[in-house]
Amino acid sequence: MTTFSPPDMVNSRPHLPPLQALRALEAAARHRSFSRAAEELALTHSAISHHIRALEDNLGTKLFQRTGLTMTPTSAGARLAEQVRGALDQLEVALREASDVAGPPVVRLQVSVMADLANAWLIQRLPSLHALAPELDLHLRLHAEISPPDPYSVDVGIWHQRVDLPGFECHNLIDDYVIAVASPALLAKYPGFTEADLPKLPMLRFALRPWRDWLLQAGLPPEEPVRGPIFQDAGLMLQSAVAGLGVATARTQLARDYLASGQLVQIGTTRIPSSLPYWVTWREGNPREKAIQHFHAWLRAQVEESSLPPSQH
């Protein structure tokens, strides 16, 4: 005897598109680019376009719209991509639990961070994060510009500018000061050196912070150096100071490890407020928000712990 399903039950579940098409949607929405999604998934640009068109035809709605060189997801596309991202995370957890791999499920966080903070402060502290939360896998992207990248493209951003968009958390990470530092080897070349003699030293220049404010606070002529290398990355400038290339202004948090190890010493006692905050930003409702908050709490704890008083010369 043949059994028929009730009419209202026939095709009640929508046809699921291929997993690769859903991954293409999620990656394209995160990167705001079909080309970058193709690179991540090892596909061609045309393959990503084909997957997206097939999804749009299947759903009967537009998922992306071009804005200049950016492929911006529509509201429907953004919502669907977020749900797909959460489903892929859950699927990965389920597969891991079903496998023979021991340990807690891995949570991968895409983190965009200012290059100077990463090189001079964050990277050497990551072992403690791994010991505390081995399930967290960070995919670090270094950023050097003042303007932040697309905040939708990562799980966490640590940038100099805050993101004032609806639905985003934004927290200041570090309140510190700017001091002048130099290597002991460089200062040894100037017997009897004092803070007032600083203009006699080669002065390293930072593109995002002039010497003027520090010199004024120190009671010295506020004359900017006209020679010497100019750095866009404060971390590279600090490494150059360690190498004896010159004296540098530096945030106390970025210089603290060098000061503690004796690779750098502070010149005098002059300090000025830092004008470049680090804002920790993430999107509310992110499927990995619990892991993001855990990471943020760890960052705050690291800032509080790195409180060694700087050495002075």
Side-chain angles (χ1 to χ4, degrees):
M1 182 175 64
T2 302
T3 303
F4 295 94
S5 299
D8 60 339
M9 294 296 293
V10 176
N11 297 325
S12 60
R13 177 178 296 177
H15 175 68
L16 290 176
L19 179 61
Q20 189 73 303
L22 296 176
R23 293 182 64 204
L25 166 72
E26 188 278 330
R30 176 160 38 85
H31 289 297
R32 299 298 202 266
S33 166
F34 286 7
S35 296
R36 290 179 62 187
E39 291 175 6
E40 177 181 315
L41 300 178
L43 297 173
T44 64
H45 183 284
S46 61
I48 297 294
S49 297
H50 174 77
H51 283 311
I52 300 302
R53 283 197 304 269
L55 283 173
E56 290 176 334
D57 291 343
N58 185 41
L59 297 172
T61 188
K62 194 74 173 173
L63 298 176
F64 286 88
Q65 58 188 11
R66 179 175 292 278
T67 306
L69 298 177
T70 302
M71 297 302 297
T72 305
T74 62
S75 58
R79 288 195 303 270
L80 180 57
E82 191 66 38
Q83 293 297 321
V84 168
R85 189 173 298 123
L88 290 174
D89 286 345
Q90 293 177 10
L91 180 59
E92 182 176 350
V93 169
L95 290 172
R96 184 179 177 87
E97 291 176 347
S99 71
D100 294 330
V101 179
V106 172
V107 180
R108 291 186 176 87
L109 293 181
Q110 301 276 342
V111 180
S112 173
V113 56
M114 299 304 299
D116 54 1
L117 185 68
N119 291 323
W121 187 85
L122 177 63
I123 291 175
Q124 50 265 51
R125 288 169 171 78
L126 288 180
S128 73
L129 175 64
H130 181 71
L132 181 67
E135 73 281 3
L136 285 185
D137 248 359
L138 302 186
H139 180 181
L140 294 179
R141 303 181 190 174
L142 301 191
H143 184 72
E145 304 300 325
I146 289 290
S147 298
D150 182 358
Y152 291 94
S153 65
V154 294
D155 295 306
V156 182
I158 308 176
W159 302 312
H160 282 323
Q161 283 189 359
R162 62 176 295 141
V163 174
D164 292 318
L165 291 174
F168 277 86
E169 293 269 356
C170 203
H171 302 271
N172 189 19
L173 178 62
I174 296 174
D175 289 313
D176 62 355
Y177 292 87
V178 170
I179 58 177
V181 296
S183 72
L186 176 65
L187 296 182
K189 299 177 181 179
Y190 299 84
F193 178 86
T194 67
E195 185 177 65
D197 298 318
L198 184 143
K200 299 177 183 178
L201 272 65
M203 299 166 68
L204 304 181
R205 296 181 287 174
F206 184 35
L208 304 180
R209 180 175 55 242
W211 270 97
R212 175 183 172 82
D213 291 341
W214 188 93
L215 291 171
L216 281 172
Q217 185 67 25
L220 297 173
E223 298 176 2
E224 292 291 330
V226 295
R227 295 190 61 186
I230 300 175
F231 296 87
Q232 187 75 25
D233 185 324
L236 291 178
M237 185 171 66
L238 276 172
Q239 293 175 28
S240 297
V242 169
L245 189 60
V247 60
T249 56
R251 299 175 66 119
T252 54
Q253 283 287 359
L254 296 192
R256 201 169 293 277
D257 291 342
Y258 296 113
L259 294 168
S261 67
Q263 293 175 284
L264 292 174
V265 294
Q266 180 179 353
I267 294 176
T269 59
T270 297
R271 65 179 191 172
I272 58 174
S274 172
S275 60
L276 292 173
Y278 291 103
W279 295 98
V280 184
T281 300
W282 67 87
R283 187 176 65 260
E284 295 174 353
N286 188 311
R288 292 166 292 282
E289 189 164 9
K290 184 176 179 180
I292 291 170
Q293 291 177 344
H294 194 175
F295 176 55
H296 180 232
W298 174 82
L299 287 171
R300 296 293 305 172
Q302 292 300 306
V303 170
E304 293 172 4
E305 289 175 11
S306 51
S307 56
L308 290 174
S311 301
Q312 294 181 2
H313 183 86

